[in-house]
Amino acid sequence: MQTMRTIEWRDGTLATLDQTKLPNENLILEMRECEEVAFAIKEMKMRGAPLIGVAAAYGLALTAYHSKAKTREDLIRQIEASAKILIETRPTAVNLFWAVERILRKARGTTGDAETVTRVVVNEAQRMADEDVEANLKIGEHGAELINDKDVILTHCNAGSLATVDHGTALGIVRTAWAQGKKIAVIATETRPKLQGARLTAYELKRDGIPVSLITDNMVGYVMSRRLINEVVVGADRIVRDAVINKIGTYSLAVLAHEHNIPFYVAAPKSTFDLVHTSKDAIIEKRNADEVTYIGSQRIAPMGVKVLNPAFDITPIKYVSGIICETGVLSKTKLEKLATASKHG
Ligand code: MRU
């Protein structure tokens, strides 16, 4: 495990690593206002579905902790105002909305004065952070059972400790398998345009001494056709009834894996499940054109060129060999059953 959790509550201050600066600089961001948390999520200083969920919960905890509200009602109004700001930051990862809803429900359901509500909200945010770590450790255990000694695992984007409170989902599986003594290796896709694979996944794995090779996104077909990998393991931003929504490029990986008969696993905690919706309801975040026309500060495309920049894509469930969550590995049939239960429940 890393020495510091990716996000830490320090008596009314929220500390995190600024992920836009990695791997070149380890800059700790300290936030005392919910607006700063919202900005850090929007600018991807904090990113990854589980992390932005917990960050949003802590953002509401900051609002409560520093509030001067005299009454419970005034405090709840302030928390609701902060919640509105947070849910405008990024539209795709369901964890953000789940976390905000959970804190709001807890605050509204608490009787007593403003001080009591504050205590309850801060404790709930802390609990959510702890639950995320526990879920990732469980995902690691279940997922590691699918990994054999000497396997090479292909992953996309960053679903590691940096995308969660600690340990990671897809990389949590890698970490657990490695800790069990399996001599595995990882192939990480660079993940254009934001380079989470090159900047974050490669950084995390190198830091932990786990063998990793970096490839550009367009090398995946070669890698699979040459059978240089044994399985693909990725994270998710939202799992709906019929699909997995994850970083742009995931769908291409899944189709290629299917063509080459390579298992394609998705690792995610239950906080990423949204089984009342289908892919038709999905909101795919569209980001700024500059992310595509520049690499760092270097412009790489002619001025004025039109750009498409969807941040996520949709992988139909038929391409998914299994969803690894904290309760085990879910087959397509099990997911369908869960979906039916959520529809009727
Ligand atoms: O745009 P990002 O970097 O927030 O996207 C992150 C991903 O797509 C991850 O795969 C996903 O959030 C799972 S992280 C455990």
Side-chain angles (χ1 to χ4, degrees):
M1 285 215 187
Q2 49 197 8
T3 45
M4 174 191 159
R5 281 185 169 188
T6 305
I7 194 162
E8 283 183 4
W9 176 264
R10 298 175 181 166
D11 293 330
T13 299
L14 198 55
T16 191
L17 257 183
D18 181 342
Q19 298 192 28
T20 59
K21 300 279 190 266
L22 288 171
N24 300 320
E25 199 185 334
N26 278 299
L27 178 72
I28 306 276
L29 268 184
E30 294 197 330
M31 297 161 278
R32 286 173 61 83
E33 287 175 19
C34 187
E35 285 77 3
E36 293 175 275
V37 175
F39 179 76
I41 294 174
K42 203 169 177 61
E43 295 298 311
M44 294 176 68
K45 292 172 186 294
M46 290 187 277
R47 33 67 48 202
L51 181 67
I52 64 176
V54 173
Y58 274 136
L60 297 179
L62 283 180
T63 296
Y65 191 89
H66 296 290
S67 168
K68 305 254 179 316
K70 295 271 180 295
T71 65
R72 171 191 177 277
E73 288 66 31
D74 280 352
L75 177 61
I76 288 178
R77 266 191 290 278
Q78 289 176 0
I79 296 173
E80 286 170 344
S82 293
K84 279 211 177 86
I85 298 171
L86 286 165
I87 61 171
E88 289 302 318
T89 52
R90 297 194 74 189
T92 304
V94 73
N95 309 60
L96 177 72
F97 303 88
W98 165 85
V100 165
E101 260 318 302
R102 180 163 154 181
I103 295 286
L104 284 178
R105 212 177 318 120
K106 198 80 191 174
R108 289 176 184 138
T110 302
T111 47
D113 55 8
E115 211 177 296
T116 310
V117 175
T118 298
R119 199 169 44 246
V120 166
V121 164
V122 172
N123 286 344
E124 189 70 359
Q126 296 273 39
R127 187 168 305 123
M128 287 161 80
D130 293 341
E131 282 174 10
D132 184 59
V133 181
E134 282 160 31
N136 294 336
L137 290 170
K138 292 251 166 61
I139 290 171
E141 280 168 29
H142 297 303
E145 286 176 23
L146 303 166
I147 309 291
N148 294 312
D149 192 28
K150 301 204 175 62
D151 272 5
V152 179
I153 301 144
L154 185 128
T155 192
H156 187 54
C157 191
N158 172 263
S161 55
L162 289 166
T164 61
V165 177
D166 207 349
H167 199 65
T169 57
L171 292 191
I173 293 171
V174 167
R175 273 196 177 92
T176 302
W178 180 256
Q180 289 170 348
K182 292 178 185 163
K183 296 278 168 272
I184 52 173
V186 173
I187 292 189
T189 52
E190 66 173 346
T191 321
R192 277 280 289 151
K194 296 291 282 180
L195 302 172
Q196 291 94 329
R199 294 189 303 104
L200 309 175
T201 295
Y203 164 83
E204 269 194 33
L205 293 175
K206 275 202 70 76
R207 181 192 61 196
D208 290 4
I210 301 175
V212 55
S213 305
L214 183 63
I215 59 170
T216 60
D217 299 319
N218 52 1
M219 294 175 188
V220 165
Y222 172 87
V223 162
M224 290 201 195
S225 66
R226 292 296 172 112
R227 301 209 80 78
L228 300 183
I229 60 159
N230 301 92
E231 54 265 311
V232 179
V233 186
V234 295
D237 285 83
R238 190 182 287 246
I239 297 174
V240 289
R241 297 165 68 83
D242 56 341
V244 168
I245 301 166
N246 190 48
K247 179 52 55 196
I248 190 76
T250 302
Y251 171 56
S252 325
L253 288 183
V255 174
L256 269 169
H258 182 77
E259 173 65 22
H260 292 95
N261 227 350
I262 292 172
F264 181 90
Y265 296 112
V266 174
K270 290 273 176 71
S271 54
T272 305
F273 286 40
D274 175 20
L275 300 180
V276 294
H277 290 111
T278 71
S279 48
K280 286 201 185 73
D281 309 310
I283 301 175
I284 301 295
E285 177 182 9
K286 310 289 185 308
R287 293 187 63 88
N288 199 298
D290 288 355
E291 293 181 355
V292 177
T293 54
Y294 284 81
I295 294 185
S297 56
Q298 178 71 45
R299 189 165 179 103
I300 56 155
M303 295 302 287
V305 69
K306 276 197 195 159
V307 165
L308 293 181
N309 188 14
F312 301 94
D313 62 22
I314 299 170
T315 301
I317 215 77
K318 69 172 179 182
Y319 293 117
V320 179
S321 314
I323 295 180
I324 305 155
C325 68
E326 58 270 49
T327 54
V329 183
L330 307 180
S331 61
K332 278 164 247 188
T333 331
K334 185 81 208 288
L335 189 75
E336 270 157 23
K337 278 197 190 130
L338 277 180
T340 313
S342 351
K343 200 176 176 189
H344 297 128

